[in-house]
Amino acid sequence: MAAAMPVALVVLLLLWPGGPVLAEAPRDSLREELVITPLPSGDVAATFQFRTRWDSELQREGVSHYRLFPKALGQLISKYSLRELHLSFTQGFWRTRYWGPPFLQAPSDTDHYFLRYAVLPREVVCTENLTPWKKLLPCSSKAGLSVLLKADRLFHTSYHSQAVHIRPVCRNARCTSISWELRQTLSVVFDAFITGQGKKDWSLFRMFSRTLTEPCPLASESRVYVDITNYSQDNETLEVNPPPTTTYQDVILGTRRTYAVYDLLDTAMINNSRNLNLQLKWKKPPENEAPPVPFLHAQRYVSGYGLQKGELSTLLYNTHPYRAFPVLLLDTVPWYLRLYVHTLTITSKGKENKPSYIHYQPAQDRLQPHLLEMLIQLPANSVTKVSIQFERALLKWTEYTPDPNHGFYVSPSVLSALVPSVVAAKPVNWEESPLFNTLFPVSDGSSYFVRLYTEPLLVNLPTPDFSMPYNVICLTCTVVAVCYGSFYNLLTRTFHIEEPSTGGLAKRLANLIRRTRGVPPL
């Protein structure tokens, strides 16, 4: 009887007068992408992007079912009426001078009334940060590009940065309805000379200790892009294996780039060899040419001596031969570095450079840091120096870190600018173009947006001798033990007076002998 019930159920469904019920088309989609870029210094940068887009207004609709979009983030959006969220964890420093402009940049939010900005200059990025980040992915780390995310390989790199970006996206030109976009990004820089044993050759297995075996079944697009701009078929100095089926060309960061495209959804791409292990080999050793200098890069340092006063200096480099452009500089300085705003100086080519916009918000002790924002015009082929003096504050003894002699970190400066482009960029359809192409907003064909971060600073503060309390405690305990111990012994000891004894058998024998001799007894 139990075996016949499912058959009857199927018959009832087929005879339903309304006909077969069509499933509603899913309103969410997933695109995953990996871009591999050989850097001018010989290192290799790998950039992962996982974009989940959901055609739902979470703040208005009562959503209870989640398919691809993480439920934890969806509830955060609807409960707190979140507009945008950008959270990133970075270990290391992106060396713009030798690696070129950064590939991933955080987008802006110009509404200052609702903007909350916070930065922690130093944090240990470890496996505990990577594991929950991977759990937000629809396929986790079971299939697709996420199988390459092996912790012991990612955290032994020169640079590592993982981020979560949430923002609303308009569905039409009038923006009458919106979709929510979750973009998870991860960037790493491998030292090719270490992983390649002194060579610039690389492969997926050499970098990640894994290869690609299958695409994520929930993804509508899964591709790998390899930058082969320096590839030349004339001299054949570079070999990419397996050969790409298609290539993609576009203007990225002001220069025209060429990428080899590998589509994981193409069954012939993986089924032929059961896995995909991209390899790049140099048939001839590349010439040791100086890496191209980016048009905009910066450097920051602390000067001065002693533990009372010092100076913060930021150098802004504009290497363009004939074009000047403005740069927006944002600085957040901790409260325990008391800035002297009247000492702020900006010089370019030995002359004073007045900022066209300046905003300063003073710090409050133990409540908020200093905020300094300036719009500075950088002349062509120049170095602009921004310096300000400060005085170090003395903290309470409970406010020092466990290793106070190591120093205190100061967050990096943030530079935002429209950098002139070498090649004019054309407007593209963002939905049809690769994900990495949407990272570089272009106002017109002559410039592109760049956001850079300087290196964090390490500043020493006046630090008391924390070993002195230990010495005082040891000395005090010794004195108390000696003095109080002797006094307590005198107060508690009992004294007894002993009467002299009359002597024993030997004494009586001696007295007897003395009497016989006529000698007085003892």
Coordinates of all heavy atoms in Angstrom, one line a residue, residues 96-181:
T96 N 53.0 50.4 -5.6 CA 52.6 51.0 -6.8 C 53.8 51.4 -7.7 O 53.7 51.3 -9.0 CB 51.8 52.3 -6.5 OG1 50.8 52.0 -5.6 CG2 51.1 52.9 -7.8
R97 N 54.9 51.7 -7.1 CA 56.1 52.1 -7.9 C 56.6 51.0 -8.8 O 57.1 51.2 -9.9 CB 57.1 52.7 -7.0 CG 58.5 53.0 -7.6 CD 58.3 54.2 -8.6 NE 59.6 54.6 -9.1 CZ 60.1 54.0 -10.2 NH1 59.5 53.0 -10.7 NH2 61.3 54.4 -10.7
Y98 N 56.5 49.8 -8.3 CA 57.1 48.6 -9.0 C 56.0 47.7 -9.6 O 56.3 46.9 -10.5 CB 58.0 47.8 -8.0 CG 59.0 48.7 -7.4 CD1 58.9 49.2 -6.1 CD2 60.2 49.0 -8.1 CE1 59.9 50.0 -5.6 CE2 61.2 49.7 -7.6 CZ 61.1 50.2 -6.3 OH 62.0 51.0 -5.8
W99 N 54.8 47.7 -9.0 CA 53.7 46.8 -9.5 C 52.7 47.5 -10.4 O 51.9 46.9 -11.0 CB 53.0 46.2 -8.3 CG 53.9 45.2 -7.5 CD1 55.1 44.7 -7.9 CD2 53.6 44.7 -6.2 NE1 55.6 43.9 -6.9 CE2 54.7 43.9 -5.9 CE3 52.5 44.8 -5.4 CZ2 54.7 43.2 -4.6 CZ3 52.5 44.2 -4.1 CH2 53.6 43.4 -3.8
G100 N 52.8 48.8 -10.5 CA 51.8 49.6 -11.2 C 50.5 49.9 -10.4 O 50.5 49.6 -9.2
P101 N 49.5 50.5 -10.9 CA 48.3 50.9 -10.2 C 47.6 49.6 -9.6 O 47.7 48.5 -10.3 CB 47.4 51.6 -11.2 CG 48.4 52.1 -12.2 CD 49.5 51.0 -12.3
P102 N 47.0 49.7 -8.5 CA 46.3 48.5 -8.0 C 45.1 48.1 -8.8 O 44.4 48.9 -9.4 CB 45.8 48.9 -6.6 CG 45.8 50.4 -6.7 CD 46.8 50.8 -7.6
F103 N 44.9 46.8 -8.9 CA 43.8 46.3 -9.8 C 42.4 46.5 -9.2 O 41.5 46.7 -9.9 CB 44.1 44.8 -10.1 CG 43.5 44.4 -11.4 CD1 44.0 44.8 -12.6 CD2 42.4 43.5 -11.4 CE1 43.4 44.4 -13.8 CE2 41.8 43.1 -12.6 CZ 42.3 43.5 -13.8
L104 N 42.3 46.3 -7.8 CA 41.1 46.4 -7.2 C 41.1 47.7 -6.3 O 42.0 48.0 -5.6 CB 40.8 45.2 -6.3 CG 40.4 43.9 -7.0 CD1 40.3 42.8 -5.9 CD2 39.1 44.1 -7.7
Q105 N 40.0 48.5 -6.4 CA 39.9 49.7 -5.7 C 38.5 49.8 -5.1 O 37.5 49.2 -5.6 CB 40.0 50.9 -6.6 CG 41.3 50.9 -7.4 CD 41.3 51.9 -8.5 OE1 41.3 53.1 -8.3 NE2 41.4 51.4 -9.8
A106 N 38.4 50.4 -3.9 CA 37.1 50.5 -3.3 C 36.3 51.7 -3.9 O 36.9 52.8 -4.0 CB 37.3 50.8 -1.8
P107 N 35.1 51.5 -4.3 CA 34.3 52.7 -4.8 C 34.0 53.7 -3.7 O 34.0 53.4 -2.5 CB 33.1 52.0 -5.4 CG 32.9 50.7 -4.6 CD 34.3 50.3 -4.3
S108 N 33.6 54.9 -4.2 CA 33.3 56.0 -3.2 C 31.7 56.0 -2.9 O 30.9 55.5 -3.7 CB 33.7 57.3 -3.8 OG 33.0 57.5 -5.0
D109 N 31.6 56.7 -1.8 CA 30.2 57.1 -1.4 C 30.3 58.6 -1.0 O 30.9 58.9 0.1 CB 29.8 56.2 -0.2 CG 28.4 56.5 0.3 OD1 27.8 57.4 -0.2 OD2 27.9 55.7 1.1
T110 N 29.7 59.4 -1.7 CA 29.8 60.9 -1.5 C 28.8 61.5 -0.6 O 28.9 62.7 -0.3 CB 29.7 61.6 -2.9 OG1 28.4 61.3 -3.4 CG2 30.7 61.2 -3.9
D111 N 27.9 60.7 0.0 CA 26.9 61.2 0.9 C 27.5 61.2 2.3 O 27.5 60.2 3.0 CB 25.6 60.4 0.9 CG 24.5 61.1 1.6 OD1 24.7 62.1 2.3 OD2 23.3 60.7 1.4
H112 N 28.1 62.4 2.7 CA 28.9 62.4 4.0 C 28.0 62.3 5.2 O 28.5 61.9 6.3 CB 29.7 63.7 4.1 CG 30.7 63.8 3.0 ND1 31.9 63.1 3.0 CD2 30.7 64.6 1.8 CE1 32.5 63.4 1.9 NE2 31.8 64.3 1.2
Y113 N 26.7 62.5 5.1 CA 25.8 62.4 6.2 C 25.6 61.0 6.6 O 25.3 60.7 7.8 CB 24.5 63.1 5.9 CG 24.6 64.6 5.8 CD1 24.7 65.2 4.5 CD2 24.7 65.5 6.9 CE1 24.8 66.6 4.4 CE2 24.8 66.8 6.7 CZ 24.9 67.4 5.5 OH 25.0 68.7 5.3
F114 N 25.7 60.1 5.7 CA 25.4 58.7 6.0 C 26.7 57.8 5.9 O 26.6 56.6 5.9 CB 24.3 58.1 5.0 CG 23.0 58.8 5.2 CD1 22.7 59.8 4.3 CD2 22.1 58.5 6.2 CE1 21.5 60.5 4.4 CE2 20.9 59.1 6.3 CZ 20.6 60.1 5.4
L115 N 27.8 58.5 5.6 CA 29.1 57.7 5.5 C 29.7 57.5 6.8 O 29.9 58.4 7.6 CB 30.0 58.5 4.5 CG 31.4 57.9 4.3 CD1 31.3 56.6 3.6 CD2 32.3 58.9 3.5
R116 N 30.1 56.2 7.0 CA 30.9 55.8 8.2 C 32.2 55.2 7.7 O 32.2 54.2 6.9 CB 30.1 54.8 9.0 CG 28.8 55.3 9.6 CD 29.0 56.5 10.6 NE 27.8 57.0 11.1 CZ 27.0 58.0 10.6 NH1 27.5 58.6 9.5 NH2 25.9 58.3 11.1
Y117 N 33.3 55.8 8.1 CA 34.6 55.4 7.6 C 35.5 55.0 8.8 O 35.6 55.8 9.8 CB 35.3 56.5 6.8 CG 36.7 56.2 6.4 CD1 37.0 55.3 5.3 CD2 37.8 56.7 7.1 CE1 38.3 55.0 4.9 CE2 39.1 56.4 6.7 CZ 39.4 55.6 5.6 OH 40.6 55.3 5.2
A118 N 36.1 53.8 8.8 CA 36.9 53.4 9.8 C 38.1 52.6 9.2 O 37.9 51.9 8.2 CB 36.1 52.5 10.8
V119 N 39.2 52.6 9.9 CA 40.4 51.9 9.4 C 41.2 51.4 10.6 O 41.3 52.1 11.6 CB 41.2 52.8 8.5 CG1 41.7 54.0 9.2 CG2 42.4 52.0 7.9
L120 N 41.7 50.2 10.5 CA 42.5 49.6 11.6 C 43.9 49.4 10.9 O 44.0 48.5 10.0 CB 41.9 48.3 12.1 CG 42.7 47.7 13.3 CD1 42.7 48.6 14.5 CD2 42.1 46.3 13.6
P121 N 44.9 50.1 11.3 CA 46.2 50.0 10.5 C 46.8 48.7 10.6 O 47.6 48.3 9.6 CB 47.1 51.1 11.2 CG 46.2 51.9 12.0 CD 45.0 51.1 12.3
R122 N 46.6 47.9 11.6 CA 47.3 46.7 11.8 C 46.4 45.6 12.3 O 45.7 45.8 13.3 CB 48.5 46.8 12.7 CG 49.3 45.5 12.8 CD 50.2 45.5 14.0 NE 51.1 44.4 14.1 CZ 51.7 44.0 15.2 NH1 51.6 44.7 16.3 NH2 52.4 42.9 15.3
E123 N 46.3 44.5 11.5 CA 45.4 43.4 11.9 C 46.0 42.1 11.3 O 46.4 42.2 10.1 CB 44.0 43.6 11.5 CG 43.1 42.4 11.8 CD 42.9 42.1 13.2 OE1 43.1 43.0 14.0 OE2 42.6 40.9 13.6
V124 N 46.1 41.0 12.0 CA 46.6 39.8 11.5 C 45.5 39.1 10.7 O 44.5 38.7 11.2 CB 47.1 38.9 12.6 CG1 47.6 37.6 12.0 CG2 48.2 39.6 13.4
V125 N 45.8 39.0 9.4 CA 44.8 38.3 8.5 C 45.2 36.9 8.5 O 46.3 36.5 8.1 CB 44.8 38.9 7.1 CG1 43.8 38.3 6.2 CG2 44.6 40.4 7.1
C126 N 44.3 36.0 8.9 CA 44.6 34.6 9.1 C 43.5 33.8 8.5 O 42.6 34.3 7.9 CB 44.9 34.3 10.5 SG 43.4 34.6 11.6
T127 N 43.6 32.5 8.7 CA 42.6 31.5 8.2 C 41.2 31.8 8.7 O 40.2 31.6 8.0 CB 43.0 30.1 8.5 OG1 44.4 29.9 8.1 CG2 42.1 29.1 7.8
E128 N 41.1 32.3 9.9 CA 39.8 32.6 10.5 C 39.1 33.7 9.8 O 37.9 33.8 9.9 CB 40.0 33.0 12.0 CG 40.5 31.9 12.8 CD 39.6 30.6 12.7 OE1 38.4 30.8 12.7 OE2 40.2 29.5 12.7
N129 N 39.8 34.6 9.0 CA 39.2 35.6 8.2 C 38.8 35.0 6.8 O 37.8 35.4 6.2 CB 40.1 36.8 7.9 CG 40.5 37.4 9.2 OD1 41.7 37.5 9.5 ND2 39.6 37.9 10.0
L130 N 39.5 34.0 6.3 CA 39.2 33.5 5.0 C 38.1 32.5 5.0 O 37.3 32.4 4.1 CB 40.5 32.8 4.5 CG 40.4 32.1 3.1 CD1 40.1 33.2 2.0 CD2 41.6 31.3 2.8
T131 N 37.9 31.7 6.1 CA 36.9 30.7 6.2 C 35.5 31.2 6.1 O 34.7 30.8 5.3 CB 37.1 29.8 7.4 OG1 38.4 29.2 7.4 CG2 36.0 28.7 7.5
P132 N 35.1 32.2 6.9 CA 33.8 32.8 6.8 C 33.6 33.5 5.5 O 32.4 33.6 5.0 CB 33.6 33.7 8.0 CG 35.0 34.0 8.4 CD 35.8 32.8 8.1
W133 N 34.6 34.0 4.9 CA 34.5 34.7 3.6 C 34.1 33.7 2.5 O 33.3 34.0 1.6 CB 35.8 35.4 3.3 CG 35.8 36.2 2.0 CD1 35.5 37.5 1.9 CD2 36.2 35.8 0.7 NE1 35.7 38.0 0.6 CE2 36.1 36.9 -0.1 CE3 36.7 34.6 0.2 CZ2 36.4 36.9 -1.5 CZ3 36.9 34.5 -1.2 CH2 36.8 35.7 -2.0
K134 N 34.7 32.5 2.6 CA 34.4 31.5 1.6 C 33.0 30.9 1.8 O 32.4 30.4 0.8 CB 35.5 30.4 1.6 CG 36.9 30.8 1.1 CD 37.8 29.6 0.9 CE 38.0 28.8 2.2 NZ 39.0 27.7 2.0
K135 N 32.5 30.9 3.0 CA 31.2 30.4 3.2 C 30.1 31.2 2.6 O 29.0 30.8 2.5 CB 31.0 30.2 4.7 CG 31.8 29.1 5.4 CD 31.5 29.0 6.9 CE 32.3 27.8 7.5 NZ 32.0 27.7 8.9
L136 N 30.4 32.5 2.3 CA 29.4 33.3 1.7 C 29.2 33.0 0.2 O 28.3 33.4 -0.4 CB 29.8 34.8 1.8 CG 29.9 35.4 3.2 CD1 30.4 36.8 3.2 CD2 28.6 35.3 3.9
L137 N 30.2 32.3 -0.4 CA 30.1 31.9 -1.8 C 29.0 30.8 -2.0 O 28.9 29.9 -1.2 CB 31.4 31.4 -2.3 CG 32.6 32.4 -2.2 CD1 33.9 31.7 -2.6 CD2 32.3 33.6 -3.1
P138 N 28.3 30.9 -3.1 CA 27.2 29.8 -3.3 C 27.8 28.4 -3.4 O 27.1 27.5 -2.9 CB 26.6 30.3 -4.6 CG 26.8 31.8 -4.7 CD 28.2 32.0 -4.1
C139 N 29.0 28.3 -4.0 CA 29.6 26.9 -4.1 C 30.6 26.7 -3.0 O 31.4 25.7 -3.1 CB 30.2 26.7 -5.5 SG 29.0 26.5 -6.8
S140 N 30.7 27.6 -2.1 CA 31.7 27.6 -1.0 C 33.1 27.3 -1.7 O 33.5 28.1 -2.6 CB 31.4 26.5 0.0 OG 32.3 26.5 1.1
S141 N 33.8 26.3 -1.2 CA 35.1 26.0 -1.9 C 35.1 24.6 -2.5 O 36.1 24.0 -2.6 CB 36.3 26.1 -0.8 OG 36.0 25.3 0.3
K142 N 33.9 24.2 -2.9 CA 33.7 22.8 -3.4 C 33.9 22.7 -4.9 O 34.4 21.7 -5.4 CB 32.3 22.3 -3.0 CG 32.0 22.3 -1.6 CD 32.9 21.4 -0.8 CE 32.5 21.2 0.7 NZ 32.5 22.5 1.4
A143 N 33.6 23.8 -5.7 CA 33.7 23.8 -7.1 C 33.9 25.2 -7.6 O 33.7 26.1 -6.9 CB 32.4 23.2 -7.7
G144 N 34.3 25.2 -8.9 CA 34.6 26.5 -9.5 C 35.9 27.1 -9.2 O 36.9 26.4 -8.8
L145 N 36.1 28.4 -9.3 CA 37.4 29.0 -9.0 C 37.7 29.0 -7.6 O 38.9 29.2 -7.2 CB 37.3 30.5 -9.5 CG 37.0 30.7 -11.0 CD1 37.0 32.2 -11.3 CD2 38.1 30.0 -11.9
S146 N 36.8 28.8 -6.7 CA 37.1 28.9 -5.2 C 37.9 27.7 -4.8 O 38.4 27.7 -3.6 CB 35.8 29.0 -4.5 OG 34.9 27.9 -4.8
V147 N 38.0 26.6 -5.6 CA 38.8 25.5 -5.2 C 40.3 25.9 -5.1 O 41.1 25.2 -4.4 CB 38.6 24.3 -6.1 CG1 37.2 23.8 -6.1 CG2 39.1 24.7 -7.5
L148 N 40.7 27.0 -5.7 CA 42.1 27.4 -5.7 C 42.4 28.2 -4.4 O 43.6 28.5 -4.1 CB 42.4 28.4 -6.8 CG 42.2 27.7 -8.2 CD1 42.5 28.8 -9.3 CD2 43.1 26.5 -8.4
L149 N 41.4 28.5 -3.6 CA 41.6 29.3 -2.4 C 42.1 28.4 -1.2 O 41.4 28.0 -0.3 CB 40.3 30.0 -2.0 CG 39.7 30.9 -3.1 CD1 38.4 31.5 -2.6 CD2 40.7 32.0 -3.5
K150 N 43.4 28.1 -1.3 CA 44.0 27.2 -0.3 C 44.8 28.1 0.7 O 45.6 28.9 0.3 CB 44.9 26.2 -0.9 CG 45.4 25.1 0.0 CD 46.2 24.1 -0.8 CE 46.7 23.0 0.2 NZ 47.5 22.0 -0.5
A151 N 44.4 28.0 2.0 CA 44.9 29.0 2.9 C 46.4 29.0 3.0 O 47.0 30.1 3.1 CB 44.3 28.7 4.3
D152 N 47.1 27.9 3.1 CA 48.5 27.8 3.3 C 49.3 28.4 2.1 O 50.4 28.8 2.3 CB 49.0 26.4 3.6 CG 48.7 25.5 2.4 OD1 47.8 25.8 1.6 OD2 49.3 24.4 2.4
R153 N 48.6 28.5 0.9 CA 49.3 29.2 -0.2 C 49.0 30.7 -0.3 O 49.8 31.5 -0.6 CB 48.8 28.5 -1.5 CG 49.1 27.0 -1.6 CD 50.6 26.7 -1.6 NE 51.3 27.3 -2.7 CZ 52.6 27.2 -3.0 NH1 53.4 26.7 -2.0 NH2 53.1 27.7 -4.0
L154 N 47.8 31.1 0.1 CA 47.4 32.5 0.0 C 48.1 33.3 1.0 O 48.4 34.5 0.7 CB 45.9 32.6 0.2 CG 45.0 31.9 -0.9 CD1 43.5 32.2 -0.6 CD2 45.3 32.5 -2.3
F155 N 48.4 32.8 2.2 CA 48.9 33.6 3.3 C 50.5 33.6 3.3 O 51.1 34.1 4.2 CB 48.4 33.1 4.6 CG 46.9 33.4 4.8 CD1 46.0 32.3 4.9 CD2 46.4 34.7 4.9 CE1 44.7 32.6 5.0 CE2 45.1 34.9 5.0 CZ 44.2 33.9 5.1
H156 N 51.1 32.9 2.3 CA 52.5 33.0 2.1 C 52.8 33.8 0.9 O 53.7 33.3 0.0 CB 53.1 31.6 2.1 CG 53.1 30.9 3.4 ND1 52.0 30.2 3.9 CD2 54.1 30.8 4.3 CE1 52.3 29.7 5.1 NE2 53.6 30.1 5.4
T157 N 52.2 34.9 0.7 CA 52.4 35.7 -0.5 C 52.9 37.1 -0.1 O 52.8 37.5 1.1 CB 51.1 35.9 -1.3 OG1 50.0 36.4 -0.4 CG2 50.7 34.5 -1.8
S158 N 53.3 37.9 -1.0 CA 53.8 39.2 -0.7 C 52.7 40.2 -0.4 O 52.9 41.2 0.3 CB 54.6 39.8 -1.9 OG 55.7 38.9 -2.3
Y159 N 51.5 39.9 -0.9 CA 50.4 40.8 -0.7 C 49.1 40.0 -0.8 O 49.0 39.1 -1.6 CB 50.3 41.9 -1.8 CG 49.1 42.8 -1.8 CD1 49.1 43.9 -1.0 CD2 48.0 42.6 -2.6 CE1 48.0 44.8 -0.9 CE2 46.9 43.4 -2.6 CZ 46.9 44.5 -1.7 OH 45.9 45.4 -1.7
H160 N 48.2 40.3 0.2 CA 47.0 39.5 0.3 C 45.9 40.5 0.7 O 46.0 41.2 1.7 CB 47.1 38.4 1.3 CG 45.8 37.7 1.6 ND1 45.0 38.2 2.6 CD2 45.2 36.6 1.0 CE1 43.9 37.4 2.6 NE2 44.0 36.5 1.7
S161 N 44.8 40.5 0.0 CA 43.7 41.4 0.3 C 42.4 40.7 -0.1 O 42.2 40.3 -1.2 CB 43.8 42.8 -0.4 OG 42.7 43.6 -0.1
Q162 N 41.4 40.6 0.9 CA 40.1 40.1 0.6 C 39.1 41.1 1.1 O 39.3 41.8 2.0 CB 39.9 38.8 1.3 CG 40.0 38.9 2.9 CD 40.0 37.5 3.5 OE1 40.9 36.7 3.3 NE2 39.0 37.2 4.3
A163 N 38.0 41.2 0.3 CA 37.0 42.2 0.6 C 35.6 41.8 0.2 O 35.4 40.8 -0.5 CB 37.3 43.5 -0.3
V164 N 34.6 42.5 0.8 CA 33.2 42.3 0.6 C 32.6 43.6 0.2 O 32.7 44.6 1.0 CB 32.5 41.6 1.8 CG1 31.0 41.6 1.5 CG2 33.0 40.2 2.1
H165 N 31.9 43.7 -0.9 CA 31.3 45.0 -1.4 C 29.8 44.7 -1.6 O 29.5 43.8 -2.4 CB 32.0 45.5 -2.6 CG 33.5 45.7 -2.5 ND1 34.0 46.7 -1.9 CD2 34.5 44.9 -2.9 CE1 35.4 46.6 -1.9 NE2 35.7 45.5 -2.5
I166 N 29.0 45.5 -1.0 CA 27.5 45.4 -1.2 C 27.1 46.8 -1.7 O 27.4 47.8 -1.0 CB 26.8 45.0 0.1 CG1 27.3 43.6 0.6 CG2 25.3 44.9 -0.2 CD1 26.7 43.2 1.9
R167 N 26.3 46.8 -2.7 CA 25.7 48.1 -3.2 C 24.5 47.8 -4.0 O 24.3 46.7 -4.6 CB 26.8 48.8 -4.1 CG 27.1 48.0 -5.4 CD 27.9 48.9 -6.3 NE 28.1 48.2 -7.6 CZ 28.6 48.7 -8.7 NH1 29.0 50.0 -8.6 NH2 28.8 48.1 -9.8
P168 N 23.6 48.8 -4.1 CA 22.4 48.7 -5.0 C 22.8 49.1 -6.4 O 23.6 50.0 -6.6 CB 21.4 49.7 -4.4 CG 22.3 50.7 -3.7 CD 23.5 50.0 -3.3
V169 N 22.1 48.4 -7.4 CA 22.4 48.7 -8.8 C 21.0 48.9 -9.5 O 20.1 48.2 -9.2 CB 23.1 47.5 -9.4 CG1 23.3 47.7 -10.9 CG2 24.4 47.2 -8.7
C170 N 20.9 49.9 -10.3 CA 19.7 50.3 -11.0 C 19.4 49.2 -12.1 O 20.4 48.9 -12.8 CB 19.8 51.7 -11.6 SG 19.9 53.0 -10.3
R171 N 18.2 48.8 -12.2 CA 17.8 47.9 -13.3 C 17.5 48.6 -14.6 O 17.6 48.0 -15.7 CB 16.6 47.1 -12.9 CG 16.8 46.2 -11.6 CD 15.6 45.3 -11.4 NE 15.4 45.0 -10.0 CZ 14.4 44.3 -9.6 NH1 13.4 43.9 -10.4 NH2 14.3 44.0 -8.3
N172 N 17.1 49.9 -14.6 CA 16.8 50.6 -15.8 C 17.4 52.0 -15.7 O 18.0 52.4 -14.7 CB 15.3 50.7 -16.0 CG 14.5 51.1 -14.7 OD1 15.0 52.0 -14.0 ND2 13.4 50.5 -14.4
A173 N 17.2 52.8 -16.7 CA 17.8 54.1 -16.8 C 17.2 55.1 -15.8 O 17.9 55.9 -15.3 CB 17.6 54.7 -18.2
R174 N 15.9 54.9 -15.5 CA 15.3 55.8 -14.5 C 15.5 55.4 -13.1 O 15.1 56.1 -12.2 CB 13.8 55.9 -14.8 CG 13.5 56.6 -16.2 CD 12.0 56.7 -16.4 NE 11.7 57.4 -17.7 CZ 10.5 57.7 -18.1 NH1 9.4 57.3 -17.3 NH2 10.3 58.3 -19.2
C175 N 16.0 54.2 -12.9 CA 16.3 53.6 -11.6 C 15.0 53.5 -10.7 O 14.9 53.8 -9.5 CB 17.3 54.5 -10.8 SG 18.2 53.5 -9.5
T176 N 13.9 53.0 -11.4 CA 12.6 52.8 -10.7 C 12.7 51.6 -9.8 O 11.9 51.4 -8.9 CB 11.5 52.7 -11.7 OG1 11.8 51.7 -12.6 CG2 11.3 54.1 -12.4
S177 N 13.5 50.6 -10.2 CA 13.7 49.4 -9.4 C 15.2 49.1 -9.3 O 16.0 49.5 -10.2 CB 13.0 48.2 -10.0 OG 13.4 48.0 -11.3
I178 N 15.6 48.5 -8.2 CA 17.0 48.2 -8.0 C 17.3 46.7 -7.8 O 16.3 46.0 -7.4 CB 17.6 49.0 -6.8 CG1 16.9 48.6 -5.5 CG2 17.4 50.5 -7.0 CD1 17.5 49.2 -4.3
S179 N 18.5 46.4 -7.9 CA 19.0 45.0 -7.6 C 20.1 45.2 -6.6 O 20.8 46.2 -6.6 CB 19.5 44.3 -8.8 OG 18.4 44.1 -9.8
W180 N 20.4 44.2 -5.8 CA 21.5 44.2 -4.8 C 22.6 43.4 -5.4 O 22.4 42.2 -5.8 CB 21.0 43.7 -3.5 CG 20.2 44.7 -2.8 CD1 18.8 44.8 -2.7 CD2 20.7 45.8 -2.0 NE1 18.4 45.9 -1.9 CE2 19.6 46.5 -1.5 CE3 22.0 46.3 -1.7 CZ2 19.7 47.7 -0.7 CZ3 22.1 47.4 -0.9 CH2 21.0 48.1 -0.4
E181 N 23.8 44.0 -5.3 CA 25.0 43.3 -5.8 C 26.0 43.0 -4.7 O 26.3 43.9 -3.9 CB 25.7 44.2 -6.9 CG 26.9 43.6 -7.5 CD 27.7 44.5 -8.4 OE1 28.4 45.4 -7.8 OE2 27.5 44.4 -9.6

